[in-house]
Amino acid sequence: MAIIHKATLSPTKLELIAEYLPTQPWFIQDGTPELVGAYRFDDPAGEVGLETHVVTAGERIYQVPLSYRGHELGGAEEWLIGTMDHSVLGKRWVYDACADPIYVKALATAILTGQQQAELNVEGESQPRPSTVTVKGSGTLDGGVPALSASAPVSGSGVTIIDAGELRLKVTRVLDVAADASATTAAAPELHHELILKGQWAGLEKPVELASVIRN
C-alpha cells in the first residue's frame, strides 16, 4: 500500500525526468517527454517512495523508475537525478531507482512472486485510487526472495542490467509495445528460465514487458 500526499512539488517529477532523459544512452532525443502513466511498489519500511513512470517522447515510449528519499543515499551520487521540494514531506532526493537497493528488492519480489503494483491510498480519500499503469510478475515463488547485493546498474541498448548477487535483473528502458508479453509461463523455482514483469495502460491493446529476472 502506497500513501499518496496531496502536495505541490518543485520542480515537478516530469520536469526532473525531462532533464534526466537526455543524459541517458538509451534515450533518443526526438520529442518532449509526456507522461503516459505510473505505478508504484511498496517499501516495507515506509521510508522510500518507489514510483516508475512511463513517458513518451516522439514515437518512443520509455520507462523511468524513480526512488524518493528523505535523505541522500550513500554512494549513489552518480544516479542522483535531482532534489525537489515536497510541500508535505519537505526536501526529497530523487534517484534513478535502478541504483536503489530498496527498488531492486521490490522489483525482484514482484517478478518472482507474481505481485501486482501497490495500492494507491490518497490522503483524504476514502477509496484507493486506480493506478494508471497496472503490472504483474509472472513468477509463483512461495518462499522468500534470495538475498540480494545489488551492484551498480549498467545501461545501454534500451535496457539497464542490475547484477544483484544470485539474480540478474533487466529493466527495459525503451518499451516495445508491438511485442506481446501476455503469453508467459512461470518458471521453475530454480529460475533456469526468465521471469518477467508485464504492464498495461489505457490505450495499450496487450501487455508489454517491463522487466525480467534470471538466476546468475
Side-chain angles (χ1 to χ4, degrees):
M1 180 179 66
I3 304 298
I4 310 299
H5 299 278
K6 293 181 178 179
T8 56
L9 304 175
S10 180
T12 66
K13 298 170 186 176
L14 191 56
E15 287 171 340
L16 284 175
I17 290 171
E19 292 183 2
Y20 163 74
L21 284 176
T23 69
Q24 300 308 298
W26 38 264
F27 179 70
I28 298 175
Q29 301 186 43
D30 58 356
T32 301
E34 298 182 7
L35 182 65
V36 174
Y39 64 94
R40 286 182 177 256
F41 290 136
D42 278 330
D43 168 19
E47 294 294 328
V48 181
L50 304 173
E51 184 175 33
T52 298
H53 299 263
V54 176
V55 300
T56 60
E59 297 182 354
R60 293 172 177 81
I61 303 176
Y62 299 94
Q63 181 177 211
V64 186
L66 302 179
S67 66
Y68 312 122
R69 287 176 167 265
H71 303 280
E72 294 179 79
L73 175 60
E77 294 82 3
E78 181 179 348
W79 293 278
L80 177 65
I81 294 175
T83 60
M84 64 183 179
D85 292 322
H86 189 291
S87 61
V88 176
L89 300 177
K91 186 175 182 179
R92 305 291 282 172
W93 280 259
V94 183
Y95 290 91
D96 180 333
C98 291
D100 194 314
I102 302 299
Y103 168 79
V104 173
K105 180 65 177 291
L107 176 61
T109 300
I111 296 175
L112 293 177
T113 63
Q115 286 185 13
Q116 296 180 299
Q117 72 283 349
E119 184 178 87
L120 303 179
N121 287 275
V122 181
E123 189 178 41
E125 297 183 6
S126 59
Q127 297 296 322
R129 182 177 294 182
S131 180
T132 51
V133 176
T134 57
V135 303
K136 181 172 175 55
S138 65
T140 58
L141 185 67
D142 293 328
V145 174
L148 303 179
S149 55
S151 60
V154 178
S155 293
S157 302
V159 300
T160 295
I161 303 297
I162 309 164
D163 280 318
E166 295 183 33
L167 304 177
R168 170 174 287 193
L169 292 93
K170 179 180 72 175
V171 177
T172 305
R173 297 297 202 158
V174 184
L175 300 179
D176 183 2
V177 297
D180 189 356
S182 60
T184 59
T185 57
E190 292 82 6
L191 276 178
H192 292 155
H193 305 285
E194 190 175 60
L195 293 173
I196 72 167
L197 182 76
K198 57 186 177 181
Q200 197 158 12
W201 53 87
L204 190 66
E205 294 183 359
K206 51 193 176 185
V208 62
E209 181 175 326
L210 301 175
S212 64
V213 63
I214 195 169
R215 187 177 295 278
N216 267 327

